[in-house]
Amino acid sequence: MAAPEEWQRVPLPRQPAEDRAAWFSYSATGDRIVWSAALRAMLGDPPGRDEISRKILVRYVHRDDHAEALSAITRAWTTRAQARTTIRLMRADGGWFDVDCRIDPVKSPDGTVRGIRGTVTDVSVRERARRETDRLARRGETVQASLVEPDPATGLLTRARFADEIDRALRRGGGAVLVIRVQPAQSGVDDDTVRPERNADLLHRAARVVEGVMQQGAMLGRVGSNEIGVLLPGTSWPMARREAELLVEALRAQTFVLPDTWLRAQAWGGLVRFTPDGDAGSHELLIDAEHAWRQSREGVVALTLIPHPVPARDRQGSYRSRVADALDTDRFTLYAQPILELQSNEVTRHELLLRVLDEADGPQSPIQVLDIAERLDAVFDIDLWVVERAMQLAADQPGTCLQINLSGRSVGDPRLTDEVTRLIERYEVKPEQLTFEITETALIGNLSEARRFADRVRELGCELALDDFGSGYASFRYLRIFPIDLVKIDGEYVVDLVDNPQDQVLVRALVQVCQAYGIHTVAEFVQDEPTLRLLRELGVDYVQGYLIGRPAPVVEGRLRTP
């Protein structure tokens, strides 16, 4: 008897090659399929060796690959030549695997095709790696590369990102924040040449001047329509003062060449110091610096210094006074943008948009003002001003439907419900004319109070809309806890909709969810006909954007109708 070691070296019996290969054959004579033992093993628990139906083969091909498999079979049969394809086969347990399939025609002596033979090779490892590479590429294309979104007009950090950098500097140590107001100087320049649209060009060039002068390690941001923020981290107060004086003087001395004119600029600065043990955060420091440049302008000086942040109570009182002054002096105004109903193809609604009148630039977005007002609990009076003027407008034009934006903090304020009820009765407005919009990313201070407001306005006959749907984390939760009538799909997913398949999938899903919940949808940022046509196909109910109409001022209490 052979030694155990010698016995272990004896190779095991091998199956015939025909049995080891994974193959199938189909013969038109008798409509018969034959499976190899290897293929049956790959499939797990397939039918018997011989089957009398071509449907068996189709059942074991992944449903998404049916067309590809049948196309390869047809090519081999009709061209009488070999065809190759890569498809997925289904196992009996419901799983699937990838195979390269070579299909050869089986010919009769006269050259006609009487069947096919398929040879199957498992390529699951290769295809899994390929799919993972494709997936990572798609993720790279669809995920924002960086959270640092530059302001499109100037290339600087946005206000939100600039505030983040201030908070980071606060955690690391002391420093200073400078806010510089830049606007065209009026002397020596014809008023007609300094149009509001040129202010973005001016700020862009002013930013380049500041970049060329500022110290190493400083950071720039656009913190207002005509305001540049300069963060000086780790800088001593004497050094920060010298740096601020240098930057403001550089802007005042510069001649700016714009595309179609040249001009000199006026510049005022506000510098505030911060320390890591202080109680002021980024937003408070920006408010203080903005207040300081206003003091510079009023005092006709280049720079105002705040060596210590303003106490929170004084800051809040100061800002409340500014809001009250803006309301009393009509520095707020309303614009209206039309909304098209796709079923009737008519403008049936208008969204009211708040604008802040700036002495240099004319109407500006209120985002900065509202952000500060919300944080300092001073936004209720602004929202109430908008609501009352909307009521006046609805009363004067009873056939008009208006959408009114509200801050999250006001929606959670118990006073708002009573004020809306009072104003509807005072101006005898039809409640169905009014839709109140809540931005989903807004901070709702009191969720139960917000729900009470929502229920009350619905009882009155008004509607409720959720703005910027899809931009935050709680979108679908809000659909369940608020009686929403309408959602506005965030324009980020609409502006490139035609060329972005991923956005198409997302918008289609959002529309389907809203339809299931009985909620109408509005798509924002619609700027061209192809986007409009696609939104129709996706089932969106309303559209809004420059293609339908740009925001227009509400003049003498009247809407501009198309």
Side-chain angles (χ1 to χ4, degrees):
M1 177 178 293
E5 292 80 4
E6 294 177 352
W7 177 81
Q8 290 175 2
R9 289 196 294 267
V10 175
L12 295 174
R14 302 181 65 185
Q15 294 179 325
E18 188 74 3
D19 289 336
R20 294 198 311 274
W23 57 266
F24 67 90
S25 66
Y26 167 73
S27 173
T29 304
D31 191 26
R32 183 176 298 276
I33 293 177
V34 178
W35 310 71
S36 74
L39 182 54
R40 291 202 309 272
M42 291 169 68
L43 294 174
D45 186 22
R49 183 176 179 85
D50 298 338
E51 292 298 331
I52 312 298
S53 173
R54 282 168 289 179
K55 294 180 181 178
I56 294 292
L57 182 62
V58 174
R59 280 208 298 267
Y60 279 87
V61 175
H62 193 287
R63 65 180 182 180
D64 292 343
D65 293 343
H66 284 178
E68 175 62 28
L70 293 176
S71 174
I73 292 171
T74 301
R75 288 199 309 273
W77 200 289
T78 57
T79 64
R80 304 179 184 181
Q82 185 182 95
R84 292 177 178 270
T85 186
T86 300
I87 57 175
R88 289 164 290 180
L89 296 184
M90 304 298 297
R91 292 194 302 268
D93 62 5
W96 52 270
F97 58 100
D98 300 277
V99 297
D100 279 345
C101 187
R102 188 190 72 212
I103 300 174
D104 296 293
V106 178
K107 301 176 185 177
S108 300
D110 61 0
T112 61
V113 177
R114 59 181 177 84
I116 58 170
R117 179 184 174 89
T119 304
V120 175
T121 305
D122 190 327
V123 292
S124 296
V125 173
R126 184 195 75 195
E127 288 300 297
R128 183 186 292 272
R130 181 189 60 79
R131 280 191 293 270
E132 179 65 9
T133 300
D134 291 345
R135 184 191 70 82
L136 293 174
R138 288 195 303 273
R139 279 279 73 193
E141 294 170 357
T142 57
V143 174
Q144 190 172 304
S146 171
L147 291 177
V148 183
E149 297 179 0
D151 171 68
T154 63
L156 303 179
L157 295 178
T158 62
R159 182 183 177 93
R161 288 294 299 120
F162 187 72
D164 288 344
E165 294 299 332
I166 295 175
D167 286 329
R168 182 180 300 177
L170 273 166
R171 292 191 294 268
R172 293 178 176 176
V177 175
L178 170 68
V179 172
I180 307 174
R181 166 72 176 205
V182 184
Q183 69 184 51
Q186 299 302 313
S187 59
V189 180
D190 185 7
D191 288 342
D192 291 337
T193 67
V194 186
R195 297 193 297 269
E197 57 267 26
R198 290 198 181 131
N199 285 302
D201 288 330
L202 173 60
L203 200 65
H204 175 79
R205 285 160 174 74
R208 304 292 83 79
V209 171
V210 173
E211 285 176 338
V213 177
M214 70 183 189
Q215 69 181 33
Q216 187 176 3
M219 301 185 70
L220 297 184
R222 184 178 186 179
V223 298
S225 58
N226 273 63
E227 295 172 359
I228 297 174
V230 184
L231 172 61
L232 303 169
T235 305
S236 67
W237 183 238
M239 182 65 72
R241 290 175 53 183
R242 288 195 293 271
E243 181 77 4
E245 292 168 355
L246 178 65
L247 294 176
V248 173
E249 183 56 36
L251 291 173
R252 289 187 161 203
Q254 181 74 30
T255 298
F256 294 94
V257 180
L258 303 186
D260 52 359
T261 188
W262 63 270
L263 52 80
R264 301 293 290 270
Q266 293 176 309
W268 300 276
L271 181 70
V272 58
R273 181 187 183 187
F274 63 80
T275 57
D277 56 350
D279 59 357
S282 58
H283 292 278
E284 290 75 22
L285 292 172
L286 285 172
I287 292 171
D288 291 349
E290 289 161 354
H291 182 66
W293 77 248
R294 287 186 171 87
Q295 287 181 310
S296 297
R297 184 175 61 183
E298 293 168 3
V300 197
V301 295
L303 182 66
T304 295
L305 306 173
I306 301 180
H308 303 287
V310 177
R313 180 176 299 179
D314 293 346
R315 182 185 301 108
Q316 186 168 353
S318 172
Y319 198 80
R320 283 184 179 276
S321 298
R322 284 174 54 192
V323 170
D325 180 65
L327 291 171
D328 291 340
T329 57
D330 294 326
R331 285 194 54 224
F332 291 118
T333 188
L334 288 180
Y335 275 51
Q337 186 171 24
I339 300 174
L340 181 76
E341 183 187 41
L342 292 182
Q343 179 178 344
S344 64
N345 214 34
E346 294 179 353
V347 171
T348 59
R349 296 168 174 263
H350 286 79
E351 180 183 3
L352 295 181
L353 304 168
L354 181 67
R355 293 291 182 263
V356 180
L357 296 176
D358 185 279
E359 61 270 26
D361 305 334
Q364 298 294 318
S365 168
I367 292 176
Q368 177 184 348
V369 172
L370 293 178
D371 177 60
I372 298 172
E374 257 201 21
R375 292 175 183 278
L376 297 183
D377 199 21
V379 75
F380 181 80
D381 291 339
I382 299 175
D383 280 345
L384 190 59
W385 183 91
V386 174
V387 170
E388 181 158 10
R389 274 145 190 82
M391 297 287 186
Q392 295 172 347
L393 191 60
D396 292 341
Q397 296 182 256
T400 301
C401 291
L402 302 174
Q403 298 192 185
I404 307 163
N405 290 281
L406 296 173
S407 69
R409 190 175 290 275
S410 290
V411 171
D413 192 316
R415 296 174 294 172
L416 183 62
T417 304
D418 295 335
E419 289 294 340
V420 169
T421 304
R422 178 182 66 82
L423 292 171
I424 287 178
E425 294 174 353
R426 174 183 174 184
Y427 291 101
E428 299 181 350
V429 172
K430 297 177 183 178
E432 58 267 25
Q433 290 180 258
L434 306 174
T435 298
F436 292 96
E437 291 191 17
I438 305 172
T439 303
E440 74 152 294
T441 52
L443 172 65
I444 297 181
N446 187 325
L447 203 58
S448 60
E449 191 61 44
R451 175 58 190 262
R452 190 177 84 86
F453 169 78
D455 289 338
R456 179 57 180 151
V457 298
R458 292 291 305 289
E459 290 171 1
L460 290 172
C462 306
E463 291 190 342
L464 197 67
L466 185 61
D467 199 5
D468 295 339
F469 187 66
S471 64
Y473 300 103
S475 299
F476 294 102
R477 179 168 180 255
Y478 282 143
L479 296 187
R480 296 180 67 91
I481 65 176
F482 286 105
I484 302 294
D485 298 285
L486 180 147
V487 301
K488 302 185 75 174
I489 300 171
D490 194 296
E492 177 184 349
Y493 306 114
V494 177
V495 67
D496 294 320
L497 186 66
V498 173
D499 299 320
N500 192 319
Q502 291 84 9
D503 284 349
Q504 293 173 24
V505 171
L506 182 61
V507 171
R508 181 182 290 108
L510 293 178
V511 170
Q512 290 174 348
V513 168
C514 289
Q515 288 174 342
Y517 277 74
I519 299 171
H520 292 300
T521 50
V522 180
E524 301 180 292
F525 291 14
V526 179
Q527 303 182 65
D528 52 60
E529 288 288 350
T531 301
L532 179 62
R533 288 195 296 269
L534 182 53
L535 290 167
R536 287 185 189 276
E537 296 173 7
L538 295 176
V540 171
D541 299 299
Y542 300 89
V543 293
Q544 177 180 3
Y546 284 176
L547 179 66
I548 312 305
R550 292 174 178 266
V554 177
V555 180
E556 297 180 356
R558 305 292 294 179
L559 292 176
R560 182 186 299 176
T561 56

